[in-house]
Amino acid sequence: MTANECIRGRRSIRKFKDTKVDHELLAEIVETASYAPSWKHTQIVRYIAVEGELKDKIGRDCTSTFPNNGLIIQNAPLLIAVTAIKNRCGYERDGSFTTPRKDTWQMFDAGVASEAFCLAAYEKGLGTVIMGIFDGDAISSLLQIPDDRELIALIPTGYADEAPAAPRRKAVEELLSFQE
């Protein structure tokens, strides 16, 4: 599969088959995703794979602001919690900020890593959807995420039980401008 095919073919999947994701396959996907670029090669993103009753509890108890996310999580065989190590991305070694963006750069790195994860999963035959609406404090507590890390996103993962069409894209002329 070419990069073009992977990028154009990947869809956000919200319905999954009831087939467990092999742990070795997941490790291959994470290894591929580890090649995503990061601020000064800090590689701050960490993944937590959640299965079984704990995954279902997150879906039931930690998605009240958008209950449909809970149903998607419970339907997926695997949930990936994307976390980032705090206070590294966007900083110099002395603790000062490198750019006016300060510590918000970690969200860029986490986004790039999440997309790399989703594309690697797609290449291996898995479907994913990146979620940002959930009770982060409750999930962080359930997963015992260390204080030096921040929960960034959730990615339900599994074998797709749907094949959604590509949504319409904006024209290149709307997305791209040139300046001299």
Side-chain angles (χ1 to χ4, degrees):
M1 178 179 304
T2 67
N4 189 19
E5 291 167 334
C6 197
I7 292 166
R8 288 177 179 255
R10 188 212 155 272
R11 298 284 169 272
S12 291
I13 300 299
R14 293 173 176 87
K15 294 180 182 171
F16 300 92
K17 294 179 181 174
D18 188 25
T19 305
K20 185 176 168 65
V21 175
D22 182 76
H23 291 188
E24 287 183 28
L25 177 62
L26 181 59
E28 289 175 26
I29 291 165
V30 169
E31 181 180 15
T32 299
S34 76
Y35 282 83
S38 64
W39 176 270
K40 296 187 176 187
H41 199 57
T42 52
Q43 303 178 70
I44 61 165
V45 173
R46 301 293 184 270
Y47 305 92
I48 302 170
V50 187
E51 299 172 305
E53 180 52 36
L54 182 55
K55 174 194 65 73
D56 292 342
K57 182 173 180 55
I58 289 170
R60 274 192 320 271
D61 300 345
C62 303
T63 59
S64 62
T65 55
F66 195 68
N68 195 46
N69 278 356
L71 297 174
I72 295 166
I73 290 168
Q74 290 177 72
N75 176 254
L78 175 67
L79 179 65
I80 299 297
V82 179
T83 70
I85 298 172
K86 298 177 187 175
N87 303 322
R88 287 204 190 150
C89 197
Y91 291 86
E92 291 298 320
R93 291 189 190 273
D94 66 4
S96 65
F97 294 117
T98 303
T99 76
R101 298 217 182 271
K102 301 183 178 178
D103 65 344
T104 62
W105 198 266
Q106 77 181 23
M107 293 301 285
F108 182 84
D109 281 9
V112 171
S114 294
E115 180 65 3
F117 177 91
C118 291
L119 291 171
Y122 177 68
E123 183 187 37
K124 295 292 188 176
L126 297 176
T128 57
V129 61
I130 300 172
M131 295 181 169
I133 304 172
F134 48 81
D135 183 340
D137 291 338
I139 295 170
S140 294
S141 178
L142 284 171
L143 298 180
Q144 300 176 352
I145 295 174
D147 289 340
D148 71 336
R149 284 203 242 164
E150 178 181 359
L151 176 62
I152 304 291
L154 299 176
I155 306 177
T157 302
Y159 294 93
D161 199 19
E162 65 176 342
R168 189 180 77 71
R169 300 294 191 228
K170 295 183 186 294
V172 171
E173 296 78 20
E174 189 176 343
L175 302 172
L176 175 66
S177 63
F178 292 91
Q179 297 183 5
E180 287 188 32

